[in-house]
């Protein structure tokens, strides 16, 4: 049992198993150094339209991380720029620049969020049906609210004194 304990110790501490016998000297295993030295430059994410898109994903999927760009828009952007659907980390700086320029032609992120908020505010101000439903926090597209609509209405509050 002692030999087995020492073997387990050796396995988890990075030591050679054949040196982990009772009475033997234990020598450390030489492993490759994986940590980066201080001063090494490492690119973590590419920045497009003020958003850091993931390096490990393919370009078409990575573009959908930008608010306002879905799968269809992402594929049309790649078609218009002529960039292959390869991983973001494999894109050259020149390709990233053309991608950034193409994305700028679309309304994305802050501008789009601002536009949506202003549209909702306009509906509320003119007092139309959709605006009043926004104010009340109810669905505005004709869905029934007797049973469901919990996404818009929020958690149900108990009604005092109500029995079936």
């Amino acid at each position: 049992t002692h030999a087995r304990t020492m073997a387990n110790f050796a396995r988890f501490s990075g030591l050679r198993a054949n040196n982990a016998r009772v009475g033997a000297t234990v020598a450390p295993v030489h492993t490759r150094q994986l940590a980066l030295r201080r001063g090494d430059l490492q690119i973590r994410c590419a920045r497009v339209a003020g958003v850091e898109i993931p390096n490990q994903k393919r370009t078409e999927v990575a573009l959908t991380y930008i608010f306002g760009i879905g799968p269809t828009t992402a594929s049309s952007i790649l078609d218009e720029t002529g960039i292959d659907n390869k991983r973001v980390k494999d894109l050259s700086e020149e390709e990233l620049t053309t991608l950034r320029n193409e994305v700028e032609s679309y309304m994305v992120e802050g501008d789009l969020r601002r536009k949506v908020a202003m549209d909702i505010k306009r509906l509320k101000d003119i007092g139309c049906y959709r605006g009043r439903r926004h104010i009340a926090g109810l669905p505005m597209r004709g869905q029934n609210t007797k049973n469901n609509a919990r996404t818009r209405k929020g958690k149900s509050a108990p009604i005092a004194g109500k029995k079936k």
Side-chain angles (χ1 to χ4, degrees), residues 66-128:
I66 300 169
F67 181 78
I69 296 180
T72 308
T73 311
S75 62
S76 70
I77 287 172
L78 288 182
D79 290 342
E80 289 167 19
T81 55
I83 296 173
D84 295 331
N85 189 18
K86 54 188 172 186
R87 299 205 183 272
V88 174
K89 64 181 178 182
D90 298 333
L91 291 173
S92 67
E93 195 58 44
E94 172 186 303
E95 289 173 322
L96 275 172
T97 307
T98 57
L99 204 62
R100 285 186 190 109
N101 292 338
E102 185 61 37
V103 169
E104 282 177 13
S105 66
Y106 291 88
M107 186 181 286
V108 291
E109 282 301 319
D111 295 336
L112 183 60
R113 290 180 203 272
R114 202 172 302 109
K115 182 186 182 309
V116 169
M118 291 304 292
D119 290 346
I120 292 172
K121 186 181 181 309
R122 180 181 52 81
L123 291 172
K124 290 177 180 179
D125 290 344
I126 63 176
C128 68

Side-chain angles (χ1 to χ4, degrees):
T1 59
H2 183 69
R4 188 180 306 143
T5 307
M6 288 302 289
N8 283 339
F9 169 76
R11 189 172 47 180
F12 292 115
S13 65
L15 303 175
R16 288 194 200 122
N18 60 355
N19 286 346
R21 279 183 256 119
V22 178
T25 58
V26 180
V29 174
H30 297 288
T31 58
R32 279 189 300 189
Q33 189 175 5
L34 297 174
L36 290 171
R37 292 184 313 271
R38 187 180 172 105
D40 285 351
L41 184 65
Q42 185 181 23
I43 298 169
R44 297 227 187 269
C45 293
R47 204 163 177 80
V48 177
V51 179
E52 290 186 351
I53 59 175
N55 260 350
Q56 300 301 322
K57 299 204 181 296
R58 295 201 172 274
T59 313
E60 194 170 345
V61 176
L63 283 173
T64 63
Y65 279 63
I66 300 169
F67 181 78
I69 296 180
T72 308
T73 311
S75 62
S76 70
I77 287 172
L78 288 182
D79 290 342
E80 289 167 19
T81 55
I83 296 173
D84 295 331
N85 189 18
K86 54 188 172 186
R87 299 205 183 272
V88 174
K89 64 181 178 182
D90 298 333
L91 291 173
S92 67
E93 195 58 44
E94 172 186 303
E95 289 173 322
L96 275 172
T97 307
T98 57
L99 204 62
R100 285 186 190 109
N101 292 338
E102 185 61 37
V103 169
E104 282 177 13
S105 66
Y106 291 88
M107 186 181 286
V108 291
E109 282 301 319
D111 295 336
L112 183 60
R113 290 180 203 272
R114 202 172 302 109
K115 182 186 182 309
V116 169
M118 291 304 292
D119 290 346
I120 292 172
K121 186 181 181 309
R122 180 181 52 81
L123 291 172
K124 290 177 180 179
D125 290 344
I126 63 176
C128 68
Y129 179 80
R130 279 173 57 205
R132 286 184 284 129
R133 300 296 276 187
H134 269 291
I135 292 166
L138 293 168
M140 61 266 342
R141 294 186 179 174
Q143 297 93 328
N144 291 337
T145 57
K146 181 177 179 179
N147 295 323
N148 291 326
R150 280 289 147 223
T151 304
R152 286 291 302 169
K153 287 166 76 173
K155 196 166 170 64
S156 61
I159 300 168
K162 182 182 178 186
K163 275 192 173 179
K164 284 190 176 181

